[in-house]
Amino acid sequence: MVQKTTDKKVGLVLSGGGARAAYQVGVLKAIIRLLPQESPNPFQVISGTSAGAINAVALGSYAGHYRQGIQRLEHIWKNFSCDQIFKSDFLSVLQWSSKFIFNTFFGYKSGDPVSLLNNEPLRHLLKKVILFENIQKAIDNHDLHALSITASGYASGESVSFFQAHKSIKNWQRLRRVGVRSRIHVEHLLASSAIPAVFPAIQINREYFGDGAIRQLAPISPALHLGADKILVIGVSGSAHKRKPREPMKHYPSMAKIMNHMFNAAFLDSMESDVERLTRINNTISKIPERVMITEGIGLKPVDILEINPSESIDDIAARHARELPKSLRLFLKGSGTTHKSGAGVLSYLLFEKGFCRELIQCGYDDAMKRKEDIQRFFEIPESPKKT
């Protein structure tokens, strides 16, 4: 029997961000290169949100053959096109956006889905490429301990983590966030990735759900509830934690600029804050003497965390590939400033085209290889003996 690289349960947390999630595939590709060839699935707990949820479930369904799963993910992302995610022809964009405007401002056909784009192609793609029945098989075979994806309930206002896991895991409830045991299927993925106003909300049981990044106050929390002892976070925020110099704005901000600010607040800020909070807690725990921890019965323990983020601004990468966006979307979004460099942030969430995705995958791979020693230390990979 092959020994695991570490006895601790390693949790993988994949944040949301639309097409930005291609970056995660590049990081995972580098990790399988660094791990011993014979090692089993390194991620016993997988948690994802939005587009990160799609990557998470794909990995969970291949937990028994994780190298094959990552290669499969890479192939899909390298050959993406927008029409695989949403209907991008002129007629569909016009019809769907017109319905959105009527529903929003005039109440026309009240009750119909309200969104700018029709993501029915994504439903067909997910059914085709993800073997949902393999998730439970992986859990039963001990190749996977738990899988979680998060969506936001529009009625309850709660961040709901739907999880499929070992029978020892129980439901949990915290302030505005709950964990519910479920049999994960395509509806959960569509709900978790339903960017408000862009894609339609999805009904699960008695409630409609939207993108899981909305109101997700503690993105790392589901992995910890599911038993992870150490956490690998793959973010999609370029130059994370680096304060940008304030530049004077000569003109009123465009709609794209405002939307980018809102998207970043939803998809990026909560993850960065949660990583910072966990790091601060770890530092506090490390300063408490071990004898005090024992005598006082303090049941806290540090959680080893490794965070990998893009070294280059994804907005800048998206700007280089702006012409790849379908003509119908370029025409529709032109007035908002999305197709300009200053509005490329919004573009980066919708640009499911292979040129952009391939550059993100390569960026993720390169960034991870630069962190080779950190990754080896995190997974407790023994160094190869030097040749004499």
Side-chain angles (χ1 to χ4, degrees):
M1 182 177 177
V2 177
Q3 295 295 318
K4 293 183 179 181
T5 56
T6 175
D7 292 330
K8 296 180 179 179
K9 288 185 178 66
V10 178
L12 173 65
V13 178
L14 301 173
S15 59
R20 289 168 171 246
Y23 176 85
Q24 298 167 349
V25 179
V27 174
L28 293 168
K29 178 183 176 181
I31 289 174
I32 64 169
R33 178 178 176 181
L34 295 175
L35 289 173
Q37 183 67 33
E38 70 281 3
S39 65
N41 174 34
F43 306 112
Q44 290 77 47
V45 175
I46 305 176
S47 175
T49 303
S50 193
I54 295 174
N55 285 341
V57 172
L59 289 175
S61 68
Y62 276 93
H65 307 278
Y66 79 96
R67 289 179 180 272
Q68 181 183 348
I70 293 174
Q71 291 168 357
R72 175 73 169 152
L73 262 181
E74 182 187 10
H75 175 76
I76 293 171
W77 278 96
K78 276 190 170 181
N79 295 281
F80 252 145
S81 61
C82 286
D83 58 10
Q84 292 177 296
I85 307 300
F86 50 83
K87 293 185 177 181
S88 58
D89 59 281
F90 277 102
L91 182 60
S92 294
V93 171
L94 180 61
Q95 288 178 336
W96 207 256
S97 59
S98 297
K99 184 190 293 185
F100 171 81
I101 293 172
F102 275 110
N103 270 329
T104 301
F105 298 104
F106 303 107
Y108 179 70
K109 290 188 177 180
S110 179
D112 280 1
V114 179
S115 64
L116 283 169
L117 299 173
N118 181 353
N119 64 343
E120 193 62 24
L122 177 60
R123 179 189 295 274
H124 297 305
L125 177 66
L126 293 175
K127 287 183 176 180
K128 179 180 178 181
V129 302
I130 297 181
L131 303 175
F132 292 92
E133 64 274 13
N134 284 357
I135 297 172
Q136 190 58 46
K137 292 179 183 178
I139 294 171
D140 293 339
N141 292 334
H142 305 290
D143 293 316
L144 180 68
H145 185 69
L147 171 68
S148 168
I149 66 172
T150 300
S152 181
Y154 282 131
S156 65
E158 292 180 326
S159 176
V160 181
S161 295
F162 299 99
F163 68 87
Q164 194 166 341
H166 186 270
K167 60 184 179 181
S168 62
I169 305 297
K170 307 298 182 184
N171 291 356
W172 67 84
Q173 185 167 1
R174 298 292 185 270
L175 180 64
R176 294 207 176 278
R177 48 191 175 93
V178 299
V180 180
R181 180 176 288 274
S182 307
R183 192 85 174 194
I184 293 175
H185 53 79
V186 68
E187 300 300 317
H188 293 102
L189 291 183
L190 290 172
S192 183
S193 58
I195 301 174
V198 178
F199 297 134
I202 300 295
Q203 185 175 10
I204 299 176
N205 300 326
R206 294 173 297 176
E207 188 171 9
Y208 278 91
F209 289 86
D211 199 291
I214 308 301
R215 306 195 77 171
Q216 189 179 28
L217 303 177
I220 299 175
S221 174
L224 297 176
H225 279 290
L226 295 172
D229 300 299
K230 51 198 309 183
I231 304 288
L232 171 65
V233 175
I234 305 178
V236 291
S237 174
S239 303
H241 313 311
K242 295 180 181 178
R243 186 176 181 180
K244 297 181 179 179
R246 293 183 180 180
E247 298 179 359
M249 294 186 67
K250 299 180 180 179
H251 305 287
Y252 190 84
S254 65
M255 180 56 66
K257 192 76 173 177
I258 296 172
M259 288 176 62
N260 185 43
H261 185 73
M262 295 172 61
F263 279 12
N264 287 347
F267 291 103
L268 310 180
D269 293 356
S270 58
M271 178 63 77
E272 294 175 5
S273 298
D274 209 22
V275 169
E276 184 179 41
R277 180 166 50 245
L278 183 55
T279 302
R280 189 168 58 250
I281 293 173
N282 283 340
N283 291 336
T284 301
I285 294 174
S286 68
K287 297 183 185 305
I288 303 176
E290 185 176 354
R291 58 180 176 79
V292 175
M293 298 277 285
I294 297 174
T295 57
E296 297 296 328
I298 300 175
L300 297 176
K301 62 178 181 178
V303 177
D304 190 7
I305 183 169
L306 175 63
E307 182 187 22
I308 299 178
N309 270 296
S311 57
E312 182 180 359
S313 168
I314 291 185
D315 293 3
D316 293 343
I317 298 175
R320 294 199 292 267
H321 294 271
R323 298 298 298 176
E324 295 179 21
L325 194 70
K327 291 182 179 179
S328 57
L329 264 294
R330 291 210 305 270
L331 179 63
F332 183 76
L333 296 173
K334 186 176 181 180
S336 68
T338 301
T339 55
H340 301 154
K341 185 176 181 180
S342 61
V346 174
L347 187 66
S348 69
Y349 291 93
L350 301 176
L351 194 53
F352 291 92
E353 292 292 336
K354 63 182 181 181
F356 177 59
C357 292
R358 289 184 179 191
E359 185 166 352
L360 283 186
I361 290 172
Q362 187 61 48
C363 181
Y365 180 84
D366 293 340
D367 286 346
M369 293 305 292
K370 291 174 184 175
R371 303 282 300 277
K372 176 180 177 180
E373 293 183 359
D374 293 333
I375 291 173
Q376 290 177 327
R377 188 182 306 112
F378 179 82
F379 285 102
E380 301 175 17
I381 302 172
E383 294 185 8
S384 302
K386 296 181 180 180
K387 295 182 180 180
T388 57

